[in-house]
Amino acid sequence: MNKLKGFFSKRQKANPQPTTILSSSSNNNHNHMNEEENEISTTIQNNYEILLPPSDCYLFRNGQLCYPTTTMNDPSSLHVLESQIGHSHILLLTETNIIFASGWNSYGQYGSNPLPISPLRSNDLLLNSSSSSFSSNNSYLNNSEDNLFRVNPNQYTNYKIINIYSKFNYTYYLAIDNENNKQILLSSGWNNGNCLSHRKGSSDSSQSINKVYFDVTINNNNNNLNNNNNGDNLSPYLENEKILKVAVGGCHTLVLTQHLLTNEHFVYECGTNCHEAISVGRNLDNLTKSMIITNFIKNTCNDKSDITDIDSSFGASLIVSKSGRLYTIGSNCFTNGKNLQQIDNDRFDGELVVAAKERESRACVLTNYGNFFVITKSECKKYVGIVNDHFWISDVACFVQSVDGRIHELNSHEEISYEMKDYLTRINVNKDILKQLEFELKNFRMKFHSSYTVLHRKKPQNVLFFSKLRNFIVNYCEETNSEKNYFFDITITI
């Protein structure tokens, strides 16, 4: 039995009631408060009343709190592992295999028949929809974007969801098949150019959550592969390969895998080639291993290192190798050409690329020196001195949250920096809620896009580890009189 902190409101109280004690299935979710926070929490409990249960994640839509809600009485369901913001929707994955969603679902971005969660409706109410045409039959969804929903668990009953990926109008779900303990991908939403890789189902249609299929044809030359939906050489499982990441674009998908015997990394791709973001130069109906990408990087560019990161925008694909090189395909911000090509590191002052993200008409590159490069078709702007905690990109700018909690808005000509509290004030978050959250904001990561803002609690282990790592590096540099710029290749398992 854990005592959990909650929301409090300064409305009371001559005779405060005892604090509610809620049970949790995870003993470590909320036991990382330090003594100072415990004292603050005790003081608040003596003067405020609890409004909402505690959470590792807070979701705001247009400044209004929509997660957690007062209908959630089980705090074990509130521990959010991952959040993804799409074009006009958001998904929250909890450790109890529950997925919450809000926003536009006309294409089935979070599946069919989601369960509405609202104080005005029963949690068990199931939307009636006998058709797969989301836009014409789920009128309630179209008119209730402010509501919070639970993704219908009947669509993934036999799977344990471990990660989610969404950016535009469709979603991929990385899962473990409970029957054989193998990795499997599921997907739903707008199947533009068969970017969902469902094997069946027409292109440009709305699809509910179904299995993703890989073309497992053994062929080192993608030019001869045939698209077919009859089931030959298609499988929902990859033998001896582990899925590391999925990058969803506007109408094409990339999947990064690692071979379990050779440790070599590969990229699978599918979807429409209307923006020439597919390496084979044509549409692919199912996820297919791109030996063109592998051969180009290793042979043409003589880069023998593994691929470490991938990203997709509406019409482009980005690939980063362990050696710090960046490769692009399609209509991107880096070059006028669309063919697979390497971007010269001179564009980044000779620094090595650690990660790259692109969305619409701009890209953001993080280098091994901790510097950011914001790139458009006409400009490239370098930003230094931001100690990065994490970064993301929206349609209007690149955003970085530094380790001190400040939000830095980076565009092609200037940097705007502000406190998290100031941003929440700007989007009209309720003053009482803001006051209740204020002393904890330093423990949260923030990201936002469109009308959605997410506060996601940092893992305390990560904060402690990186704090110790930073102190070690600083002390080492001072003792050896070395420069304090290093690139570390570190893998952490928690």
Side-chain angles (χ1 to χ4, degrees), residues 357-370:
K357 301 180 187 295
E358 183 173 15
R359 189 158 188 159
E360 301 300 340
S361 58
R362 62 179 40 81
C364 188
V365 172
L366 172 64
T367 71
N368 62 318
Y369 281 82

Side-chain angles (χ1 to χ4, degrees), residues 235-251:
S235 173
Y237 307 105
L238 290 174
E239 295 297 330
N240 296 320
E241 287 187 64
K242 177 182 178 181
I243 298 170
L244 301 178
K245 183 179 180 179
V246 178
V248 294
C251 47

Side-chain angles (χ1 to χ4, degrees), residues 91-116:
L91 296 160
L92 306 176
L93 171 64
T94 73
E95 69 171 7
T96 52
N97 208 33
I98 295 174
I99 306 173
F100 295 105
S102 180
W104 194 37
N105 194 44
S106 292
Y107 292 120
Q109 290 90 322
Y110 43 92
S112 59
N113 300 329
L115 309 176

